[in-house]
Amino acid sequence: MPGLLDTVLEKLREIYRHLDSPALREVIERAELEEYEDKVIVRVPDEYCKFAFLKEIYPLVKRELEVSLLVLTPSEDVIFELSPKYTFKNFIVGKGNLLAVRACQVAVENLRKKSLPYNPIFIHGRVGVGKTHLLQATGNKAIEKGFKVVYRSSIDFAEEVVAAIKENSLSYLRDFYKGVDVLLIDDIQFMAGKERTQLEFFNIFNHLYQNNRLVVIASDRPPKKLRDVMDRLINRFEGGLVVELKLDEITKKAIIKEKLIIYGLPVDQNIIDYIAQNTGDNVREIEGFIAQLKAKESINLKPSRGECKKVSPEEVVKEVSTFYGIPKGKILKKTRNRKVSLIRQIAIYLTRQVCNLSLTKIGEIFGVSDHTSVLYAIRKIEKLRREDPRLGEEIEFLKTKLLEG
Ligand code: ADP
Ligand code: MG
């Protein structure tokens, strides 16, 4: 008998053959499968693929196969339950997420009291802003206090409902959910169109709500924007606290700093700014970016000039210009401004380090007529980087970025 993985693989091949859309074909081509307990995990490269897979391909697989599929992007964890990894302690709080965090904390503090200040709490926000983390932190805190907590993504919940109907165990499922103190439902948008699931959830929700049990919901959009979700449910969501989770600039930089520390990378304001400029409002993307830097750093422990990627002087100037926020034109011209002059010397130094060009050639690029001025700049930076570890780190960072980026 073929294994679970082979069955899904075969099904995907069949779907692939019948697909007209090249974009959807590509989604399948880029997906990787792995088996995890009784589920098959579909690893897709990004959020777009995940969305396309869930919307277009998932229903086709599920129409014929009785299998639990979980579609994940590279940095998503497999979270079926609560993971102790996500806590309030390691969630950085700032303007954009303060309200949501406080609401959850206050709710947990008030569990089993006469009434909850906010219930349900509906947290919405774009991908990677920390919704799952916050939901899980809330759950972990409540567990710490001895409460019964259940975390489910709406996809898992829907599958449980379908299975319970088949096995005739709906009453068991209802009792199970009605007995919890805190119910955390993630990615509610995926309940779209699943009427039976919504109905079951609605009944469970009402029971919990009436008994003053906490329900926290995460969604990629506000309640009103949910498509194919019953009005009754949307009204319930709107009756509680609806709060958007955002990533503001200051919090973003605080998160970058924290992640640099975790990864054991140099913590430097210029590096933080640089990462902030090169990433969007998505903490997962930031983590990916830093993880890449880390990987590159370890590769670079054994640099050998001959084997390195070819880097052009233009790339060096561009990178230095972005990093220090000085226009390229200024770096390429002699100047009396001390700060700009130093940055120009760093660019000269890096060009020598990564481009394998003669001193004369480098002189031409930077508009100096003799190679001794180039040599002077290189010596000066060599000396400065020994004296100033921060400068040393910045230069190492730029070098790694140029050679491996
Ligand atoms: P979402 O569910 O909104 O897509 P996640 O909760 O999965 O986002 O967050 C993505 C990653 O970013 C996780 O690893 C999470 O721990 C981290 N993260 C998000 N927000 C913060 C924050 N404020 N402080 C620390 N880590 C965060
Ligand atoms: Mg999430």
Side-chain angles (χ1 to χ4, degrees):
M1 226 181 81
L4 195 60
L5 199 71
D6 293 330
T7 316
V8 176
L9 210 58
E10 193 42 51
K11 182 89 249 154
L12 281 177
R13 285 200 190 107
E14 189 191 319
I15 293 170
Y16 184 89
R17 286 196 291 273
H18 292 97
L19 279 176
D20 292 330
S21 149
L24 282 180
R25 283 173 157 235
E26 199 184 318
V27 170
I28 295 189
E29 277 165 19
R30 299 177 72 189
E32 282 172 20
L33 302 189
E34 71 194 67
E35 214 168 319
Y36 184 93
E37 292 170 357
D38 58 343
K39 295 171 196 263
V40 170
I41 296 175
V42 183
R43 296 224 177 251
V44 289
D46 52 39
E47 289 298 327
Y48 163 75
C49 287
K50 178 172 174 172
F51 178 78
F53 195 99
L54 284 173
K55 190 158 183 298
E56 306 290 342
I57 300 162
Y58 184 84
L60 298 176
V61 179
K62 293 292 285 187
R63 207 162 58 190
E64 289 168 50
L65 285 186
E66 239 180 76
V67 53
S68 292
L69 284 186
L70 199 73
V71 187
L72 298 175
T73 53
S75 44
E76 273 179 308
D77 279 302
V78 184
I79 309 174
F80 302 122
E81 295 288 339
L82 282 179
S83 156
K85 187 171 131 187
Y86 299 107
T87 60
F88 281 122
K89 268 206 194 98
N90 62 14
F91 194 77
I92 291 166
V93 182
K95 205 169 130 222
N97 59 25
L98 182 70
L99 189 58
V101 173
R102 292 285 177 263
C104 291
Q105 285 173 331
V106 169
V108 175
E109 288 307 318
N110 284 282
L111 282 172
R112 285 281 169 90
K113 300 231 172 103
K114 267 199 202 94
S115 76
L116 286 167
Y118 316 107
N119 198 24
I121 301 175
F122 188 101
I123 298 162
H124 66 95
R126 304 218 319 239
V127 72
V129 290
K131 300 182 295 295
T132 297
H133 190 137
L134 187 53
L135 234 55
Q136 294 254 329
T138 307
N140 282 319
K141 190 80 202 160
I143 283 185
E144 220 178 274
K145 290 171 156 277
F147 293 104
K148 188 169 174 207
V149 179
V150 169
Y151 166 93
R152 287 285 184 277
S153 84
S154 72
I155 298 175
D156 282 351
F157 179 75
E159 287 189 354
E160 275 180 282
V161 171
V162 173
I165 294 170
K166 249 197 202 108
E167 293 160 10
N168 235 335
S169 58
L170 260 181
S171 62
Y172 173 79
L173 181 112
R174 288 172 188 153
D175 287 349
F176 171 79
Y177 278 97
K178 286 176 181 173
V180 306
D181 297 303
V182 180
L183 178 60
L184 309 158
I185 297 286
D186 207 349
D187 289 323
I188 192 102
Q189 71 274 7
F190 293 130
M191 261 195 212
K194 296 173 184 154
E195 275 174 37
R196 188 59 206 260
T197 301
Q198 289 178 30
L199 200 62
E200 286 303 327
F201 179 64
F202 183 71
N203 288 329
I204 292 167
F205 175 87
N206 280 341
H207 179 92
L208 294 175
Y209 179 79
Q210 278 152 18
N211 288 282
N212 208 27
R213 309 287 165 82
L214 177 65
V215 182
V216 189
I217 296 148
S219 163
D220 72 347
R221 64 200 76 181
K224 272 225 160 60
K225 292 246 167 82
L226 287 170
R227 268 176 289 133
D228 297 326
V229 171
M230 313 169 158
D231 289 343
R232 296 188 263 180
L233 262 179
I234 292 175
N235 286 339
R236 288 288 189 277
F237 298 156
E238 290 195 312
L241 177 78
V242 177
V243 54
E244 186 177 2
L245 207 58
K246 282 193 273 198
L247 196 63
D248 60 277
E249 264 322 283
I250 296 173
T251 315
K252 180 175 170 179
K253 287 187 179 170
I255 292 174
I256 294 173
K257 190 170 167 192
E258 185 71 22
K259 305 280 172 192
L260 284 172
I261 295 171
I262 293 170
Y263 277 89
L265 287 164
V267 179
D268 177 291
Q269 197 52 46
N270 280 326
I271 297 179
I272 295 172
D273 293 344
Y274 179 82
I275 296 171
Q277 275 162 24
N278 284 281
T279 48
D281 292 345
N282 179 337
V283 183
R284 222 172 272 148
E285 185 189 337
I286 294 169
E287 283 177 342
F289 194 91
I290 295 175
Q292 263 182 7
L293 289 182
K294 178 72 189 172
K296 283 166 193 165
E297 186 201 57
S298 40
I299 292 166
N300 227 33
L301 287 176
K302 37 178 177 14
S304 68
R305 270 173 91 197
E307 286 164 29
C308 284
K309 180 182 135 190
K310 245 178 122 64
V311 181
S312 69
E314 287 79 8
E315 283 175 80
V316 177
V317 174
K318 182 168 164 274
E319 210 58 54
V320 172
S321 148
T322 319
F323 188 84
Y324 290 104
I326 303 282
K328 278 186 270 184
K330 284 196 174 170
I331 294 176
L332 289 166
K333 272 206 304 267
K334 274 193 201 157
T335 171
R336 284 180 186 280
N337 179 314
R338 281 182 61 186
K339 186 175 168 225
V340 180
S341 170
L342 175 70
I343 288 159
R344 175 177 150 83
Q345 285 164 340
I346 293 174
I348 293 175
Y349 174 82
L350 280 167
T351 306
R352 177 67 176 174
Q353 289 259 310
V354 304
C355 299
N356 228 350
L357 294 175
S358 69
L359 296 175
T360 319
K361 183 78 197 139
I362 296 174
E364 277 169 31
I365 293 164
F366 287 87
V368 285
S369 50
D370 61 271
H371 77 273
T372 44
S373 313
V374 177
L375 206 53
Y376 169 77
I378 294 169
R379 293 241 168 89
K380 183 168 164 206
I381 297 300
E382 254 161 9
K383 181 168 171 282
L384 282 179
R385 64 173 292 182
R386 276 197 301 274
E387 292 166 355
D388 178 357
R390 222 190 74 174
L391 184 74
E393 279 170 3
E394 288 177 3
I395 290 172
E396 257 330 289
F397 173 86
L398 282 166
K399 197 173 148 188
T400 309
K401 181 84 183 22
L402 284 163
L403 288 170
E404 309 292 338

